[in-house]
Amino acid sequence: MPSKKEHKLISKNRSAHHEYFIDEAIECGVELAGAEVKSIRERACQITDTFAIIRGGECWLVGLHIHPYSNGGVWNRDPDRRKKLLLHRKEIDYLDGKLRNRGYALVPLELYFNDSGRVKLLLGLGRGKKLYDKREDMAKRDVQREIDRALKTRLRG
């Protein structure tokens, strides 16, 4: 995974870590048209309700909404169309094997420009969390927040 200095974040799926246990993360490219890339540079897109599927030996991103480019005219594509993910054959076969296991899903974590200006997607292989797991994570965050506040006030005083 690239470091934070090397890429410019476009959109982040904040709810992914709340809804899933992320076991692995894979960087992949996204096949986009020119007007879509210009639109992404102009303003952010939405990946919150997005997921990836494997059909016919190819990986597809479903639900990524890219706003139409303001100067696109006839070159604008459907904002909600499926986008093809660029992965190697071995990676697709590996992910397909993992997805056949019960409870796994391909969840987009981040969409960003890498250091060479290409749009990349950080795709996570995640298992769905149960309600009690989500409550446990929220309780841990609350406890950590209280500890941080106490330390902060203690260092000031």
Side-chain angles (χ1 to χ4, degrees):
M1 187 169 110
S3 67
K4 295 290 181 189
K5 296 176 187 174
E6 294 179 6
H7 66 266
K8 179 184 171 195
L9 188 65
I10 299 167
S11 183
K12 185 173 183 174
N13 190 354
R14 293 175 184 261
S15 66
H17 290 284
H18 178 71
E19 299 289 331
Y20 298 94
F21 292 112
I22 305 298
D23 293 340
E24 297 179 41
I26 297 174
E27 182 185 55
C28 59
V30 183
E31 188 177 282
L32 298 172
E36 291 173 328
V37 175
K38 288 181 180 183
S39 175
I40 288 174
R41 288 188 192 282
E42 190 175 81
R43 57 187 159 201
C45 62
Q46 178 184 0
I47 66 167
T48 52
D49 297 328
T50 308
F51 62 95
I53 58 173
I54 296 178
R55 295 285 186 265
E58 295 178 338
C59 195
W60 297 90
L61 189 62
V62 180
L64 175 68
H65 181 81
I66 299 174
H67 302 288
Y69 181 51
S70 59
N71 298 323
V74 295
W75 290 280
N76 278 332
R77 301 246 180 127
D78 179 28
D80 296 317
R81 73 179 178 91
R82 288 184 177 180
K83 281 89 175 161
K84 188 175 181 180
L85 296 179
L86 306 174
L87 291 164
H88 292 283
R89 169 65 45 210
K90 288 181 181 179
E91 292 174 330
I92 293 174
D93 292 340
Y94 174 75
L95 291 175
D96 192 28
K98 285 287 192 175
L99 287 177
R100 293 187 189 280
N101 291 342
R102 189 179 182 99
Y104 276 103
L106 289 175
V107 184
L109 302 175
E110 291 181 358
L111 190 69
Y112 57 90
F113 288 107
N114 68 355
D115 57 341
S116 63
R118 307 243 187 238
V119 177
K120 298 291 182 177
L121 178 76
L122 190 62
L123 193 63
L125 184 65
R127 292 177 289 121
K129 285 185 180 179
K130 303 285 186 191
L131 183 60
Y132 56 84
D133 292 327
K134 294 177 189 178
R135 287 183 185 151
E136 185 180 320
D137 284 348
M138 288 190 318
K140 285 180 184 176
R141 277 198 309 266
D142 290 343
V143 168
Q144 187 62 41
R145 188 177 304 123
E146 290 298 323
I147 291 171
D148 291 343
R149 281 185 191 154
L151 288 174
K152 197 176 200 180
T153 57
R154 191 172 188 184
L155 290 175
R156 275 194 231 160

